[in-house]
Amino acid sequence: MIKQLFKNAGFTAGLLLLTVILAGSAFNTHFFKEDLQNISNEEYYANKPEPPSTEHPFGTSQGGIDLFDLVLSQTFPTIKLALFITAGRMTISLFMGFLYGLQYRKLKWLDLFIEGFHFVPATLLAFLLLLGLNFMNFEFIMENPEFRWYFIAYTLIAIGIPTLLQLIGKETNLALHNEFIEGAKVLGGSRTHILVKHVIPSIRGKIILMFSGQLIAVLTLMMHISILGFYIPGWTAFIGSNYYELMVSPWIIFFPVLLFALLITSLTLLTNGIRTVLDGDYQKRRPTLLSSSSIRTLSIKKDLTL
């Protein structure tokens, strides 16, 4: 499968684009990052944003800080937080989804409750839940600055679990109806054995697609809630805290939005490449139903019938 992925143009292009973003960020941050500690408060407020120039191709932000250096330094915090939220969603949803799929007949009534989450925008749901931060003790939040980030991260994890566990549960239940799993049950295979040896391998490709899809959804959601005022580390916080500059100094927003769009594009290309390869494998497996052994079996049955 790995060789097939690298032969896929979309997957290769997405991987190359993602590598350029990460490598460029790491290289620039390590060797060329501007030292912001030497900038005093007076200098910060005295130096106004400047448009793109030969010295600063993407312009400067408040304080005369080069936007190229500033935004690239926020690449890894953005991706790390998105991966943390996505991994949290997937881990919890996989555990609950497998249980849901194994007991689908008994838990099918939960679909009525979960279906509601499909019609409520994730941004609106996250906004309503995060409003609780505004009513918390201000001194407590100031004394525990990490509490705000953890609260936001865990909230974004929680709102994605219902629909994701339902999807995993239905995929698990669908896999349980395959003929080879029915055969494993007849031979005395336990539910744990069937889940580990048969169900998970049969849907692991879809799990990979779910992870990449969730990563894109999480990045987009991070952008939305940052614009609504709930800033989190990385590009999204920078865009959310400077979106008002769009009419005054649009270059401040242009570069981080460009990088964000390139990151989403690379992940989309990777996801589409994986989906194409998986669909190709499925199409290749279909003719095995008419393999020589299968045809021989069918001919024997036909002879016996005659």
Side-chain angles (χ1 to χ4, degrees):
M1 177 180 174
I2 296 178
K3 291 182 179 180
Q4 293 176 342
L5 284 174
F6 282 101
K7 290 180 181 179
N8 182 274
F11 179 87
T12 304
L15 183 62
L16 179 61
L17 180 58
L18 181 61
T19 302
V20 169
I21 294 174
L22 296 178
S25 175
F27 185 80
N28 186 83
T29 303
H30 186 73
F31 293 103
F32 300 104
K33 183 180 179 181
E34 189 176 5
D35 188 6
L36 303 180
Q37 295 180 352
N38 296 328
I39 301 177
S40 62
N41 290 333
E42 292 77 11
E43 292 176 339
Y44 180 82
Y45 290 106
N47 296 327
K48 300 300 181 182
E50 297 180 1
S53 61
T54 304
E55 184 179 1
H56 304 286
F58 292 94
T60 64
S61 64
Q62 183 71 37
I65 304 172
D66 185 80
L67 278 173
F68 186 81
D69 293 339
L70 181 61
V71 176
L72 280 182
S73 65
Q74 298 299 315
T75 303
F76 283 95
T78 302
I79 296 177
K80 284 180 180 178
L81 183 59
L83 285 173
F84 173 77
I85 295 173
T86 304
R89 285 185 176 187
M90 290 298 300
T91 302
I92 298 173
S93 298
L94 282 172
F95 177 75
M96 299 177 67
F98 287 145
L99 294 177
Y100 183 57
L102 292 173
Q103 301 291 334
Y104 187 72
R105 291 183 178 179
K106 296 180 180 179
L107 300 177
K108 190 176 180 179
W109 58 272
L110 286 175
D111 284 345
L112 298 174
F113 170 74
I114 297 175
E115 285 296 330
F117 286 90
H118 291 282
F119 301 97
V120 180
T123 302
L124 177 60
L125 185 59
F127 176 74
L128 293 175
L129 293 175
L130 292 175
L131 277 177
L133 286 171
N134 298 334
F135 300 99
M136 292 185 179
N137 188 292
F138 180 75
E139 294 182 357
F140 172 78
I141 294 179
M142 293 301 295
E143 292 174 358
N144 302 273
E146 293 185 354
F147 173 81
R148 179 185 179 88
W149 315 131
Y150 284 125
F151 186 88
I152 293 175
Y154 292 141
T155 300
L156 297 189
I157 289 174
I159 64 176
I161 290 175
T163 55
L164 190 56
L165 79 86
Q166 183 191 39
L167 179 60
I168 295 172
K170 288 188 176 181
E171 290 292 344
T172 302
N173 181 64
L174 186 63
L176 288 172
H177 287 83
N178 288 324
E179 292 183 2
F180 63 91
I181 291 182
E182 294 294 336
K185 292 180 180 179
V186 173
L187 294 174
S190 64
R191 288 188 176 182
T192 303
H193 173 82
I194 292 173
L195 178 64
V196 175
K197 296 295 184 179
H198 300 290
V199 174
I200 294 178
S202 67
I203 66 172
R204 61 186 174 187
K206 294 181 180 179
I207 292 175
I208 295 174
L209 287 176
M210 290 178 198
F211 185 92
S212 58
Q214 284 294 310
L215 184 58
I216 296 173
V218 167
L219 284 167
T220 306
L221 183 58
M222 288 167 56
M223 169 79 75
H224 291 168
I225 65 170
S226 292
I227 293 176
L228 292 174
F230 299 100
Y231 308 136
I232 49 183
W235 294 340
T236 56
F238 184 83
I239 295 172
S241 60
N242 290 282
Y243 75 94
Y244 59 87
E245 296 281 3
L246 189 61
M247 302 300 296
V248 182
S249 307
W251 62 86
I252 295 180
I253 296 296
F254 174 76
F255 186 53
V257 169
L258 174 63
L259 271 182
F260 191 85
L262 290 176
L263 177 60
I264 296 295
T265 300
S266 67
L267 294 174
T268 302
L269 289 171
L270 289 171
T271 303
N272 291 338
I274 295 172
R275 181 181 290 110
T276 301
V277 171
L278 290 175
D279 290 344
D281 287 343
Y282 174 73
Q283 293 296 333
K284 290 179 181 179
R285 287 196 299 267
R286 289 183 63 186
T288 60
L289 295 175
L290 297 177
S291 60
S292 58
S293 60
S294 299
I295 293 174
R296 191 180 303 112
T297 303
L298 291 173
S299 62
I300 293 173
K301 289 183 177 179
K302 184 178 180 180
D303 294 340
L304 293 175
T305 304
L306 295 175

